[in-house]
Amino acid sequence: MDKASAKVEADTPMMTQYHAIKKGHPDSILFYRMGDFYEMFNEDAQIASKILQIALTARNKTRPNPTPMCGIPFHSANAYISKLIQAGRNVAICEQVEDPKQAKGLVKREVVRIVTPGTFLDDSNLDPKAPHNLAAVASEPDGFGLAILDMSTGAFKTSEFTGASAETLLIDELEKHDPREVVLPRSRIDNNAERWAEPYAACMQGEEDWAFTRSDAYQRLTEHFHSNSLEGFGCEHFPKAICAAGGLLRYLQETQKNALPHVRALSTYNPSQYMLLDQCTIRSLELVQSSEGSRKRSLLDALDQSQTPMGARRIREWILKPLIEASAIQERLDRVASFHADPLLRSEIRQSLKNIYDLERLLGRLSLTTGSPRDLISLKLSLAEFPKLQSALQEFSKESWSDWTERWDNLSDLREQIERYIEDDPAPTLKDGGVIKKGCDEALDRLKGIKAEARTWIAALENQEKERTGISVLKVGYNKIYGYYIEITKKNLDRVPAEYIRKQSLVNAERFISPELKKFEEEISGAEEKIVALETELFQKIKSEVVGHGNRVQSMAETISEIDALCSFAENASLYNYCRPELVDSPLLHVENGRHPLIERLDPTHHFIPNDIHLDGADKQMMIITGPNMAGKSTYLRQVALMSLMMQIGSFVPADSARLGVVDRIFSRVGAQDHLQKGQSTFMVEMNETANILNNASDHSLIILDEIGRGTSTFDGISIAWAIVEYLHKGERPLGPKTLFATHYHELTELASELDGVHNYNVLVKEWNDEIIFLRKIAAGGADKSYGIQVARLAGLPIDVLERAREVLYNLESGEYDESGAPTIGRSDNKPLDSNPKQMGLFSAPPHPALSRLESLRPDELTPRQALDALYELSQLLRKNTP
């Protein structure tokens, strides 16, 4: 806005107030409340009108420099806020904070909250089956602190990462939590100091640097939780974690303008307490999102048979944090087995769960300003299911369920409180009335009685006035704008009593008000205002009591979510014939007739071919898997990894039987992608991910590798793949990481004869008249070719291309073996390699003329004489062209 316009607007008290408020929120679109609208001015109006596709008008149009403005109805603000948030804008909500009727002069206004991507909690913006996280990162020279808070539930946790792999671990954790915002010290954003933060540039928020200092963060956290120290939260001696948590808390207090009552505890976790999963593995195994970027066709989608949103979120959390402690895994498997063994009781429990609302988010809304009377009713209906669940759980062995049954709380007092005060079907908002039950407050009952008798009183007044005036068509009515009135047609105006006061003129009638009706109107209007005020007061009281017991509600919500998740696993096992895996105290991976949990469901009419797997890290440490494209190598690799992960989250697995040991990490290098914005080719990404595996895999890890080395030249790729297999091999150690290595480099199969514990497998196919039939079965031994040209034919490549490809393939293969017929790549005679090896030439010398002539012959079409002539011709070509 130019200086002239600013000077004009500064003359008005309202715009002076607006500019003062806007000055404190320069980076947000300011929603300035005026009556029933939120108005935007100047640059905010110009930006918002384009994003929201609403009309841009102007204030003071007759002046030289009118002020751009636009507005939206306050009652539908969430839909507009959602669009602005999606466009990357924050919204500052500026409300009237005093009653206009009581105000002396300009109504006082303040920003009551700032809506950001992580704090926008409208139901249309929330995925009920996923957390709505914000993150904060405190960066120090020796590592990072990370804090994660789900604003919709109040779940708050922190961790820290140190050492050489700190940045990698931080990136992996952020990938798991998928934050809507990442909060950093403002100077770190301004200086672009964080290399890891590049993927989060669009959702990065700055906070004052001093908010991330340990002293301020520590004080802020202890004040919020009303504690003397942070010992009870497990982070007293984790300074970086404290700094991140304190910085995030400060950011939320400043943007939400409240005490965040639903953030009741802080938990500290160590990523090493769980199976470590890097972002490459999470994506390639499609754990929570498919390759298309949606939840559908992910492992989460396959395992989720939950009845509550809380259960769905718990399953997602478990998938991203598989257990590594054998006793904890066994406990989950025991509970799933109990649910699985009793389908009738499981069905009863699932039916009760189906009637339970999202307790975590209900409590979150009630703790904030968005809670409604209907949220209390949803809570009451949910609590009514608790005794049924408790009774059902008591049918199982008490010992295996002791931690649940001992802390079980039916919250009967809260349910009775809500039942006593809140109507069973209350109005959506407090201003509509009809929230508090009769008998809870005498004053409220009296006022409601006045309102209830209004219709009777109006009908009696109408009859009285008709009789008194002799006007049979006289009508007493009500209008929201003009209030109560007496309507008389124009032909009867000569009989209107003198005490009637004209109120409104219509085409065929006039409306009046009498002293008696005016007194009634004042009384009934006052009663309605008092009813809303009293009901609001009583509702806030009940809500505060419920929120005051929030710890109890959150504890039961956690228990309910666990029950739902484990019941879901049992239901899944029953529906799809999963078996309980046997957890063994060794690095064993033995599965009979294992299946891929996602692929087997894609086409129910097509029978999925199951396969076995047997690895032990020692005698059977590594599988080199060869076979054609499309035969199922990648599917086999993924199903092995998924079954191992499923066991460690407590799920049964898709197999006839399984004996599995705990793995500390799963590494997956499957699929091809590039990072062009980082200047990284597909091959560079492949090498980065492979380097991560080689540098971090332990003897208790599970590794699946697919087509390593394919992004470069043939000899380079084979050399890299060969060296990787040798590096991963256990060598002289008793154990090595269990590894499945799928490849089209058949030369690697030689390693099985040189390295103990390495075995060759291939995916069986059947050839028939130059066609291939995929049998999808894994068998011992290596494949002798990849059938790539046959697969290309299936894809529809032109015949000329296929024929030429066969010629080139022949030339390539003819140079792959020495004079004795032995492969020239993986020699075991330890001869030194050429210091300047030549790349394999794609276009070798053309075929021998005799061979070309022989291929052109059609024996069935030749006469005996022609056949003899052809034989002489071939003999001459052979002699002439042989050196």
Side-chain angles (χ1 to χ4, degrees):
M1 183 176 68
D2 58 42
K3 293 182 179 180
S5 178
K7 186 177 186 306
V8 169
E9 288 294 355
D11 294 336
T12 66
M14 189 200 76
M15 290 308 294
T16 299
Q17 182 190 63
Y18 169 82
H19 288 307
I21 296 172
K22 175 62 183 175
K23 185 177 180 180
H25 302 86
D27 299 328
S28 300
I29 301 292
L30 183 63
F31 276 22
Y32 184 81
R33 181 69 177 272
M34 295 178 65
D36 289 340
F37 285 83
Y38 287 121
E39 303 290 355
M40 289 153 276
F41 300 99
N42 302 321
E43 186 181 4
D44 281 2
Q46 294 170 335
I47 294 171
S49 63
K50 291 180 181 179
I51 296 172
L52 301 177
Q53 294 293 295
I54 58 177
L56 179 66
T57 181
R59 179 179 171 83
N60 300 322
K61 295 180 181 180
T62 60
R63 296 187 179 183
N65 296 290
T67 302
M69 69 175 291
C70 64
I72 60 165
F74 87 96
H75 56 78
S76 57
N78 279 348
Y80 295 101
I81 292 173
S82 179
K83 291 181 179 180
L84 291 170
I85 293 294
Q86 291 173 12
R89 300 285 177 172
N90 294 343
V91 180
I93 307 296
C94 179
E95 294 285 4
Q96 299 172 173
V97 293
E98 65 176 334
D99 188 342
K101 295 179 182 179
Q102 308 294 327
K104 295 181 180 179
L106 185 65
V107 177
K108 185 178 180 182
R109 292 178 175 86
E110 292 178 359
V111 170
V112 296
R113 65 188 174 110
I114 301 173
V115 185
T116 65
T119 61
F120 184 41
L121 302 181
D122 183 66
D123 285 344
S124 63
N125 187 56
L126 290 176
D127 180 353
K129 295 190 173 185
H132 194 76
N133 289 330
L134 300 91
V137 178
S139 180
E140 300 291 340
D142 61 337
F144 301 92
L146 173 67
I148 301 289
L149 190 145
D150 183 344
M151 191 63 184
S152 68
T153 66
F156 193 16
K157 51 193 171 186
T158 190
S159 186
E160 65 178 38
F161 314 96
T162 57
S165 60
E167 185 172 318
T168 300
L169 290 172
L170 172 66
I171 293 171
D172 292 342
E173 282 301 299
L174 286 170
E175 175 84 10
K176 294 173 187 176
H177 291 102
D178 189 23
R180 302 298 188 272
E181 297 176 58
V182 177
V183 182
L184 290 175
R186 193 161 281 119
S187 65
R188 308 295 292 189
I189 297 177
D190 295 342
N191 297 329
N192 196 23
E194 307 294 354
R195 292 181 306 162
W196 59 265
E198 185 177 332
Y200 303 97
C203 63
M204 206 163 290
Q205 305 282 2
E207 182 52 78
E208 300 297 338
D209 286 23
W210 51 260
F212 286 84
T213 61
R214 188 180 187 281
S215 58
D216 184 86
Y218 193 95
Q219 180 179 352
R220 190 176 302 278
L221 290 168
T222 52
E223 287 178 354
H224 178 80
F225 294 118
H226 306 290
S227 61
N228 294 324
S229 75
L230 298 177
E231 285 281 0
F233 304 107
C235 60
E236 178 76 19
H237 305 294
F238 294 96
K240 287 178 281 295
I242 292 172
C243 292
L248 182 54
L249 189 61
R250 151 82 184 184
Y251 171 77
L252 289 172
Q253 289 173 342
E254 289 299 301
T255 57
Q256 302 312 293
K257 311 294 184 183
N258 66 51
L260 305 173
H262 68 313
V263 181
R264 299 175 176 276
L266 174 65
S267 62
T268 304
Y269 74 98
N270 184 343
S272 63
Q273 295 172 329
Y274 306 96
M275 179 197 292
L276 295 178
L277 297 169
D278 57 47
Q279 56 182 333
C280 175
T281 300
I282 292 171
R283 291 175 184 174
S284 65
L285 293 182
E286 299 178 294
L287 295 184
V288 294
Q289 278 190 342
S290 69
S291 57
E292 287 79 23
S294 67
R295 187 179 190 273
K296 189 176 182 181
R297 295 185 180 177
S298 65
L299 179 66
L300 172 59
D301 186 46
L303 295 185
D304 183 9
Q305 300 285 341
S306 62
Q307 298 293 290
T308 70
M310 298 177 293
R313 295 196 295 270
R314 187 67 62 196
I315 293 172
R316 184 184 189 278
E317 178 188 347
W318 287 353
I319 287 175
L320 293 174
K321 290 187 175 181
L323 301 170
I324 58 173
E325 185 182 340
S327 61
I329 297 171
Q330 199 70 265
E331 182 180 80
R332 280 191 195 168
L333 289 172
D334 287 343
R335 290 176 172 178
V336 172
S338 296
F339 287 137
H340 183 260
D342 196 333
L344 292 178
L345 194 55
R346 183 176 76 246
S347 176
E348 179 184 332
I349 290 173
R350 283 170 57 80
Q351 185 58 47
S352 286
L353 291 170
K354 192 174 183 179
N355 296 327
I356 294 177
Y357 291 81
D358 193 338
L359 299 175
E360 293 173 329
R361 286 186 172 167
L362 277 178
L363 183 63
R365 288 199 297 271
L366 290 169
S367 299
L368 300 172
T369 58
T370 54
S372 71
R374 291 186 176 180
D375 287 331
L376 284 179
I377 294 303
S378 296
L379 178 60
K380 182 188 77 171
L381 295 174
S382 300
L383 300 184
E385 298 295 327
F386 283 17
K388 302 176 189 176
L389 281 173
Q390 183 183 30
S391 176
L393 290 176
Q394 288 173 347
E395 296 291 325
F396 297 111
S397 168
K398 292 183 179 180
E399 184 176 343
S400 60
W401 308 86
S402 59
D403 62 325
W404 283 349
T405 54
E406 288 174 4
R407 70 174 190 241
W408 192 270
D409 183 356
N410 282 325
L411 299 168
S412 303
D413 53 332
L414 294 186
R415 181 165 57 87
E416 291 168 2
Q417 187 85 332
I418 298 170
E419 175 66 32
R420 177 186 171 191
Y421 280 92
I422 306 299
E423 290 282 1
D424 293 336
D425 186 18
T429 62
L430 288 166
K431 68 178 183 179
D432 297 322
V435 172
I436 304 300
K437 284 184 175 180
K438 185 178 181 180
C440 295
D441 187 272
E442 290 184 9
L444 181 61
D445 291 345
R446 182 178 59 80
L447 291 168
K448 286 186 174 181
I450 293 173
K451 184 177 178 180
E453 293 169 2
R455 290 186 179 181
T456 303
W457 190 91
I458 290 294
L461 177 67
E462 184 175 294
N463 290 331
Q464 172 190 307
E465 293 302 293
K466 282 180 180 179
E467 185 177 341
R468 185 166 76 89
T469 61
I471 304 173
S472 60
V473 293
L474 178 148
K475 183 172 68 174
V476 179
Y478 174 78
N479 180 286
K480 285 187 177 181
I481 298 175
Y482 293 98
Y484 288 94
Y485 59 81
I486 299 172
E487 185 175 295
I488 298 175
T489 57
K490 288 189 175 181
K491 67 179 182 180
N492 290 303
L493 291 179
D494 57 331
R495 289 190 280 179
V496 172
E499 68 271 17
Y500 278 19
I501 302 170
R502 192 180 302 276
K503 196 168 189 179
Q504 183 187 10
S505 295
L506 304 177
V507 175
N508 298 315
E510 295 285 337
R511 288 177 174 175
F512 302 86
I513 189 167
S514 68
E516 189 177 7
L517 184 57
K518 183 175 179 63
K519 181 180 178 182
F520 170 80
E521 183 177 46
E522 291 173 353
E523 184 174 328
I524 196 67
S525 296
E528 289 177 346
E529 291 179 4
K530 290 176 182 177
I531 287 172
V532 170
L534 273 174
E535 289 209 328
T536 300
E537 181 183 340
L538 289 168
F539 170 75
Q540 295 296 343
K541 178 183 176 183
I542 303 305
K543 190 177 79 165
S544 295
E545 291 183 9
V546 170
V547 171
H549 293 278
N551 287 333
R552 296 168 61 197
V553 177
Q554 284 180 331
S555 176
M556 283 304 297
E558 181 179 354
T559 299
I560 296 298
S561 70
E562 291 175 1
I563 293 171
D564 194 13
L566 295 173
C567 262
S568 177
F569 289 168
E571 185 73 11
N572 213 54
S574 179
L575 289 173
Y576 299 105
N577 193 30
Y578 289 3
C579 75
R580 174 175 179 165
E582 179 186 349
L583 179 60
V584 297
D585 186 19
S586 68
L588 184 65
L589 204 168
H590 180 82
V591 176
E592 293 183 1
N593 290 325
R595 312 184 305 276
H596 193 294
L598 305 176
I599 305 298
E600 72 168 341
R601 300 189 202 174
L602 292 182
D603 184 2
T605 63
H606 180 74
H607 177 64
F608 185 91
I609 305 299
N611 277 293
D612 299 342
I613 175 73
H614 183 78
L615 291 174
D616 57 16
D619 295 336
K620 293 186 176 180
Q621 183 220 338
M622 187 180 304
M623 294 172 62
I624 304 292
I625 305 170
T626 50
N629 286 300
M630 295 176 58
K633 297 191 300 297
S634 295
T635 296
Y636 180 69
L637 263 61
R638 285 186 171 99
Q639 78 185 43
V640 170
L642 290 176
M643 281 188 284
S644 187
L645 183 143
M646 287 170 67
M647 188 271 286
Q648 288 184 225
I649 67 173
S651 171
F652 285 15
V653 299
D656 288 352
S657 67
R659 299 179 65 225
L660 306 173
V662 174
V663 299
D664 60 356
R665 294 192 70 161
I666 293 177
F667 291 97
S668 172
R669 164 88 274 283
V670 179
Q673 62 177 345
D674 54 38
H675 289 164
L676 295 181
Q677 293 180 345
K678 296 182 179 180
Q680 295 182 358
S681 66
T682 302
F683 182 65
M684 186 60 182
V685 172
E686 177 185 325
M687 289 298 98
N688 283 338
E689 294 173 352
T690 305
N692 175 55
I693 295 172
L694 300 182
N695 290 324
N696 292 289
S698 77
D699 293 347
H700 296 280
S701 299
L702 172 63
I703 302 172
I704 62 172
L705 300 171
D706 190 19
E707 303 303 335
I708 296 297
R710 64 182 169 184
T712 186
S713 68
T714 304
F715 280 176
D716 282 353
I718 293 174
S719 302
I720 292 171
W722 187 287
I724 287 171
V725 171
E726 291 182 334
Y727 186 88
L728 290 174
H729 180 249
K730 63 186 179 66
E732 300 301 321
R733 296 170 296 163
L735 293 175
K738 296 184 289 293
T739 305
L740 290 85
F741 196 123
T743 184
H744 283 291
Y745 296 142
H746 300 120
E747 295 80 2
L748 299 187
T749 58
E750 292 183 53
L751 288 164
S753 61
E754 297 186 11
L755 301 178
D756 180 38
V758 177
H759 300 267
N760 290 327
Y761 286 83
N762 73 97
V763 188
L764 296 179
V765 297
K766 184 175 183 180
E767 294 187 75
W768 181 261
N769 291 335
D770 200 34
E771 295 186 8
I772 53 174
I773 301 171
F774 300 116
L775 301 180
R776 315 290 186 194
K777 200 69 179 174
I778 303 292
D784 57 355
K785 54 184 177 178
S786 293
Y787 301 93
I789 294 176
Q790 288 87 336
V791 173
R793 182 184 59 77
L794 293 175
L797 264 64
I799 297 298
D800 291 348
V801 173
L802 298 174
E803 290 296 332
R804 179 57 179 148
R806 288 191 179 94
E807 293 176 2
V808 174
L809 177 63
Y810 172 81
N811 294 334
L812 292 173
E813 291 180 339
S814 64
E816 192 175 333
Y817 302 91
D818 61 18
E819 296 82 356
S820 66
T824 60
I825 301 296
R827 294 142 60 107
S828 58
D829 54 5
N830 296 319
K831 290 182 180 179
L833 295 173
D834 189 339
S835 62
N836 185 26
K838 295 181 175 58
Q839 291 291 107
M840 183 178 289
L842 179 60
F843 298 103
S844 305
H848 195 286
L851 289 175
S852 298
R853 175 61 178 136
L854 184 61
E855 285 183 346
S856 69
L857 293 177
R858 299 290 183 267
D860 293 339
E861 300 175 4
L862 300 177
T863 65
R865 180 63 186 178
Q866 290 171 329
L868 184 60
D869 290 342
L871 184 59
Y872 278 116
E873 181 184 357
L874 289 171
S875 178
Q876 290 173 355
L877 287 172
L878 186 61
R879 285 195 297 270
K880 182 179 179 181
N881 292 278
T882 300

